[in-house]
Amino acid sequence: MGGLTLDKILVLDFGSQYTQLIARRVRELNVYCEIHPCHLSADEIRAFAPRGIILSGGPAGVYQEQAPTCSREIFELGVPLLGICYGQQLMMNQLGGQVQPSRRREYGRAELEILDDGDLFRGLGRSERTPVWMSHGDRVEKPAPGFEVIGRSDNSPYAALRDGARRFYGLQFHPEVVHTPQGKRMLSNFVLEICACRPEWTMANFIDLAREEISARVGSDEVILALSGGVDSSVVAALLHRALGRQLHCLFVDNGLLRLGEARSVEEVFGSHFGMDLVVVDAAVEFVQALAGVQDPERKRKIIGQKFIEVFEREAGRFARARFLAQGTLYPDVIESRSVRGPSATIKSHHNVGGLPERMNLELIEPLKELFKDEVRVLGRELGLPREIVERQPFPGPGLGVRVIGEITPERLDTLRRADAILQQEADQAGLLAETWQTFAVLLPVRSVGVMGDERTYEQTLVIRSVTSVDGMTADWARLPYDTLAIISNRIINEVRGVNRVLYDISSKPPATIEWE
Ligand code: XMP
C-alpha cells in the first residue's frame, strides 16, 4: 500500500444509544472513523490526528453535576466539530451559550426548516422543510458567541447552529438515524466537504493495510484459527490466509451439532478451493456421548463449551510452533468493552472460546477488531468468499444442541437437521434469509396425534422460528407469508420422518429469547 495514511474522523461518545450509528454512517462514506469515550485525553486526541470530531448525543444534561465532558482542547485543534444533541449542548455550554431543560420534551419526528443551505445543509434547499428525528429534554436557549442559526423547528429555535469561522456545527436532532432522511447528506457534507476527508476507507485498501500489519506482527511465526464456518471466523481465515499462506492453520471441530452439509462445505471452501491448511476434527461422537441424558439448557451449554475447549486444545497440540491464536472479534465488541455506559449495559454471555489464549499460552490476533459486521461481509466478498458464507445468518456456538429441546440423541439431531435444511432451502428461495436476522427450526420433546394415510401417528413437533433484529439484543417475530409457511410445513411433514406437526413461534425478545435454550 506504500504508506497510505487514511483521513480519520473521531467520534467522542457521551453515551447515546446511536453513537455506533454515527460511526457506521461515516464509514459508509468510505472515511475511517473511531469511537472513543468522551474523556479521551488531549494527547490521545492529537495522536489520533482527526480531520474532524463528532460529539455524540447522550442521556445527561450539561448543567448536571458530573455531566460527562471532554477535553477543552478540541476547540483549539483547528479541526471542524459537529455536536449532535448532547454534543451540541455541551459545545454551547463550553463556549459561552446557554442550555436549559426545555418546557416540552421533544421525542420523535419534527420538521426542520432550513435557513441556510450553504455548507452543512448544502443540496437541501433554503427554506425547505425536512423531517428530522429529535430525542431530547434540554435545548439551547442562547447560542455561544460566534454562532448563527441555520435551521429551526417548532420547538427548537436553535435546532441547527454554525460558527462558520471556526467550522463548528451543532444539531439538536440526530442526523445518523434513518428517521432523518437527509441526515446522510448532512453527514456527508460535514465529513467530505467541511472536513475534506478523502474517501479512501474501502475494503480493498483495508486488505492491503491489514496484510502489511499482520505480516509485520507475525513474522515467520504460525497462527491457529478456530474456524466455525460462520461469517467472522471465515473472513478471518481468508484474510490471514492472504497475508500468511500456510503459516495459518485452521482447525474446524465438527461437534455433531452442525447443520446439514456444513462440515463438507467448510472443507470444500477452505480446504479445496482456498487450499488452506485445514484440519477437520470429527468429534461428533464425543460430543453426543458427553450430552447423553442431559436435558437442562445451561448444563448442555456448559458441556458443549468445555468439550470444545478440550478437543481444540488437544488437536491444536499438533501445531506446536504456533505463537498466535486468531479470533473474529468485531468493532462493536471493542467499543462495548470500553463504553462510557460501563460494561454492565452491554454484557454478552456468548463468548465461545473465552479463556483459550491464556490457557494455551498464545497471543491473540484479532484482524477484524476495527470493523463493523456489514464491513466484514464486504471484506469477505472482496476476499472471494462465496455468498452462502458471507451472507450467513448467526448460528450459536452450541449449535443444534440448544435447538433439540430435551435430550439430544443422534436420531433427534438427524430429524432436526433434515427439517432445518428444508426450511433453509425454502426460506432462501423466497428471499427470506436476507430479510430476517435468523430463520431456523427447533425440535420439541412433545408428541402429538395425527393421521397419515389411514394410519394414526404419534410423532414429534417442530417449531419454525424466524425473527427480525438489528443486533440480536431485541427481536421481533418475522411476518412470514402464509403461503411460504404452508410450503415449508407441508414439505417437512411429508419428507421428514418422525415429525407430524409444525408450529410457528410468534414471540418477541424480550420477553422470549431468540433461541429456545
Ligand atoms: P438469544 O437466544 O439470547 O440469542 O436471544 C441472541 C443471539 O445470540 C446467538 N446466540 C449465541 N451465539 N454462542 C454464540 O455465538 C452462543 O452460545 C449463543 N447463544 C445464542 C443467537 O443465535 C442470537 O443470534
Side-chain angles (χ1 to χ4, degrees):
M1 199 64 219
L4 172 74
T5 44
L6 291 166
D7 288 342
K8 293 179 283 189
I9 294 286
L10 171 65
V11 177
L12 289 178
D13 180 24
F14 294 89
S16 162
Q17 55 179 326
Y18 302 130
T19 304
Q20 285 198 28
L21 271 182
I22 302 175
R24 284 173 58 181
R25 293 290 99 84
V26 175
R27 299 256 189 116
E28 281 165 15
L29 298 166
N30 295 119
V31 173
Y32 186 67
C33 144
E34 281 184 17
I35 299 174
H36 287 273
C38 53
H39 46 73
L40 196 68
S41 74
D43 284 344
E44 286 168 310
I45 294 173
R46 267 193 302 271
F48 184 75
R51 288 195 68 96
I53 301 178
I54 299 178
L55 313 177
S56 87
V62 284
Y63 43 77
Q64 287 168 356
E65 244 180 82
Q66 310 210 324
T69 165
C70 62
S71 164
R72 288 189 67 98
E73 284 194 40
I74 60 165
F75 302 114
E76 315 297 331
L77 290 176
V79 303
L81 303 182
L82 172 64
I84 294 173
C85 200
Y86 181 86
Q88 182 205 37
Q89 294 155 12
L90 181 77
M91 215 162 159
M92 289 307 115
N93 190 267
Q94 303 245 322
L95 296 174
Q98 256 176 40
V99 177
Q100 274 171 12
S102 79
R103 261 157 281 140
R104 281 184 49 199
R105 290 175 159 256
E106 208 178 358
Y107 288 105
R109 209 185 115 106
E111 292 263 311
L112 179 79
E113 186 191 346
I114 293 173
L115 302 176
D116 183 309
D117 64 347
D119 45 11
L120 191 63
F121 295 153
R122 209 157 68 117
L124 303 185
R126 190 182 300 240
S127 309
E128 288 297 316
R129 294 177 79 89
T130 180
V132 295
W133 188 256
M134 296 280 189
S135 167
H136 63 101
D138 300 340
R139 67 174 202 186
V140 175
E141 290 300 324
K142 188 169 141 257
F147 280 84
E148 60 185 319
V149 194
I150 55 171
R152 67 180 165 219
S153 73
D154 288 346
N155 281 313
S156 299
Y158 304 114
L161 293 168
R162 168 182 67 197
D163 176 335
R166 288 187 286 181
R167 296 178 298 164
F168 293 173
Y169 300 80
L171 300 176
Q172 176 68 78
F173 57 88
H174 291 273
E176 68 274 25
V177 304
V178 288
H179 313 290
T180 302
Q182 297 288 359
K184 221 177 153 174
R185 179 70 202 252
M186 300 172 194
L187 288 171
S188 147
N189 283 338
F190 180 72
V191 171
L192 300 180
E193 307 294 332
I194 297 167
C195 301
C197 290
R198 291 163 301 174
E200 291 178 335
W201 172 251
T202 61
M203 286 303 112
N205 281 344
F206 174 82
I207 293 174
D208 291 332
L209 290 168
R211 276 177 73 175
E212 272 179 22
E213 201 180 307
I214 293 164
S215 308
R217 173 147 181 233
V218 173
S220 56
D221 284 314
E222 297 184 359
V223 181
I224 309 178
L225 167 70
L227 188 61
S228 73
V231 182
D232 304 342
S233 70
S234 297
V235 175
V236 173
L239 180 62
L240 289 181
H241 180 67
R242 185 71 76 92
L244 303 169
R246 306 283 288 186
Q247 284 165 267
L248 170 71
H249 308 292
C250 295
L251 246 178
F252 177 77
V253 177
D254 181 351
N255 58 10
L257 307 169
L258 305 171
R259 287 161 292 189
L260 197 70
E262 209 163 359
R264 206 183 46 235
S265 102
V266 164
E267 274 194 295
E268 265 167 27
V269 172
F270 298 94
S272 313
H273 174 69
F274 278 99
M276 294 188 196
D277 180 33
L278 168 71
V279 175
V280 176
V281 184
D282 182 356
V285 174
E286 222 175 305
F287 274 81
V288 175
Q289 272 173 2
L291 288 163
V294 180
Q295 305 218 2
D296 177 67
E298 277 311 300
R299 270 203 68 212
K300 278 185 186 174
R301 279 176 172 274
K302 277 225 171 71
I303 292 170
I304 296 167
Q306 279 164 359
K307 200 80 202 159
F308 178 82
I309 289 180
E310 185 190 316
V311 173
F312 189 83
E313 261 186 292
R314 183 180 74 213
E315 300 295 333
R318 65 178 92 201
F319 307 117
R321 288 166 41 97
R323 199 156 75 79
F324 296 92
L325 181 72
Q327 240 178 34
T329 314
L330 303 192
Y331 193 44
D333 303 326
V334 176
I335 302 167
E336 282 167 15
S337 66
R338 60 175 192 215
S339 154
V340 284
R341 283 171 290 166
S344 60
T346 48
I347 284 179
K348 277 202 200 131
S349 53
H350 300 317
H351 290 285
N352 301 320
V353 289
L356 255 182
E358 297 81 15
R359 287 173 59 119
M360 298 175 63
N361 202 15
L362 294 170
E363 265 181 61
L364 256 191
I365 181 161
E366 302 172 301
L368 309 183
K369 70 174 190 302
E370 285 159 358
L371 305 186
F372 287 109
K373 191 83 177 191
D374 35 1
E375 293 174 317
V376 171
R377 292 189 207 275
V378 177
L379 175 61
R381 258 177 237 126
E382 194 86 36
L383 288 163
L385 286 171
R387 180 185 85 95
E388 307 85 78
I389 290 185
V390 172
E391 289 169 14
R392 181 158 268 185
Q393 296 187 328
F395 184 65
L400 302 186
V402 290
R403 294 182 180 172
V404 168
I405 312 304
E407 193 181 351
I408 297 171
T409 63
E411 297 73 33
R412 296 192 73 214
L413 279 170
D414 186 53
T415 304
L416 176 59
R417 207 171 268 134
R418 289 190 296 131
D420 189 65
I422 293 173
L423 172 60
Q424 298 305 323
Q425 211 179 53
E426 293 296 337
D428 190 23
Q429 222 156 59
L432 297 171
L433 293 183
E435 275 173 35
T436 59
W437 169 261
Q438 270 169 309
T439 297
F440 58 90
V442 179
L443 187 66
L444 300 189
V446 172
R447 284 176 187 267
S448 71
V449 173
V451 290
M452 256 196 164
D454 290 333
E455 279 190 42
R456 177 184 182 278
T457 59
Y458 186 55
E459 303 283 16
Q460 305 184 82
T461 312
L462 191 106
V463 176
I464 297 171
R465 179 79 165 136
S466 182
V467 297
T468 55
S469 173
V470 187
D471 53 10
M473 306 296 267
T474 59
D476 195 7
W477 58 279
R479 276 36 170 191
L480 295 192
Y482 280 175
D483 291 346
T484 311
L485 286 171
I487 295 171
I488 295 168
S489 150
N490 256 331
R491 279 199 59 195
I492 291 178
I493 294 176
N494 282 317
E495 295 174 35
V496 182
R497 186 181 291 213
V499 174
N500 68 349
R501 203 170 285 268
V502 173
L503 313 181
Y504 189 49
D505 183 345
I506 53 169
S507 331
S508 62
K509 170 185 180 175
T513 49
I514 296 175
E515 303 289 344
W516 271 53
E517 290 193 333

